[in-house]
Amino acid sequence: NPRAHACATWHQNLSHLIEQVMPDVIVLSSSERNPRSGEATNPDWVKGHEAFVASISKMAADVRIIDIGGWVYRTSDPTACLKVTEKISKTIGSCATPLKKAVNVARVKLRRAYDKANSVAFMDMSKYFCTKKMCPAIVGGVATMANVSIPSQSYMRYITKAVTPEFSKIVNI
């Protein structure tokens, strides 16, 4: 599997870098919902996450690990929907994605539980993109996503004031 080989190579290179630099804080981030990585119970994804966190913990016992997850993955391109909405006067709400389709809630729970049991701080980004049921394409007049899986730069700037206190608390700044 070429993707598994690429991931293994990336992890190995990163592990060498961590051993050389010995940082105080390491921030991990990945999406729990990606068609290429399978669903919440995919044992390879879960084992891979757990093994990587464990390897970091072993080589740098005093390092603070922060795991950022809960990223939104849209079922269709929100920017394309918003362009169509403008032309045919549909409501912007029609471009929202249901939470259960946008965020792999089961995998977020698995990840949070593993992280908590291993003294890893977990930060759930879905609360900045979604309500309890929907993930709107626009929040505060700003498009949340640049495409199906990448948050827009404008939205990341927009939520900075909301995210900063939580992140600072996790990092212990």
Side-chain angles (χ1 to χ4, degrees):
N1 179 349
R3 288 187 55 78
H5 178 71
C7 285
T9 301
W10 184 84
H11 286 149
Q12 184 179 24
N13 291 341
L14 187 60
S15 295
H16 290 304
L17 181 63
I18 291 168
E19 287 174 336
Q20 291 172 354
V21 175
M22 292 305 290
D24 295 324
V25 176
I26 296 173
V27 179
L28 307 174
S29 181
S30 65
S31 175
E32 297 85 10
R33 181 172 293 289
N34 183 323
R36 292 175 298 221
S37 65
E39 288 303 314
T41 55
N42 178 326
D44 291 339
W45 191 94
V46 174
K47 286 178 188 174
H49 175 75
E50 292 175 358
F52 188 59
V53 170
S55 71
I56 292 171
S57 297
K58 283 181 189 172
M59 74 178 97
D62 295 331
V63 72
R64 179 86 170 129
I65 302 172
I66 300 167
D67 185 15
I68 301 177
W71 292 104
V72 172
Y73 192 92
R74 303 267 181 201
T75 52
S76 61
D77 186 349
T79 55
C81 179
L82 291 169
K83 287 176 187 172
V84 170
T85 299
E86 267 180 18
K87 292 177 185 173
I88 60 173
S89 300
K90 287 171 58 178
T91 64
I92 288 174
S94 66
C95 296
T97 303
L99 175 69
K100 289 181 180 180
K101 288 187 176 182
V103 178
N104 189 328
V105 176
R107 191 176 278 176
V108 171
K109 286 180 182 177
L110 284 172
R111 187 172 177 172
R112 182 189 306 268
Y114 176 83
D115 287 353
K116 183 176 181 180
N118 290 279
S119 302
V120 173
F122 181 79
M123 186 169 173
D124 184 353
M125 292 302 292
S126 67
K127 65 185 166 190
Y128 298 105
F129 288 83
C130 307
T131 65
K132 290 185 179 185
K133 293 186 178 185
M134 298 297 285
C135 302
I138 301 244
V139 172
V142 179
T144 59
M145 304 295 285
N147 60 36
V148 295
S149 63
I150 306 293
S152 73
Q153 289 180 10
S154 299
Y155 190 66
M156 293 306 287
R157 282 191 296 273
Y158 177 78
I159 65 172
T160 297
K161 286 185 181 178
V163 172
T164 299
E166 179 182 3
F167 188 77
S168 296
K169 183 179 176 185
I170 289 171
V171 178
N172 294 322
I173 294 177

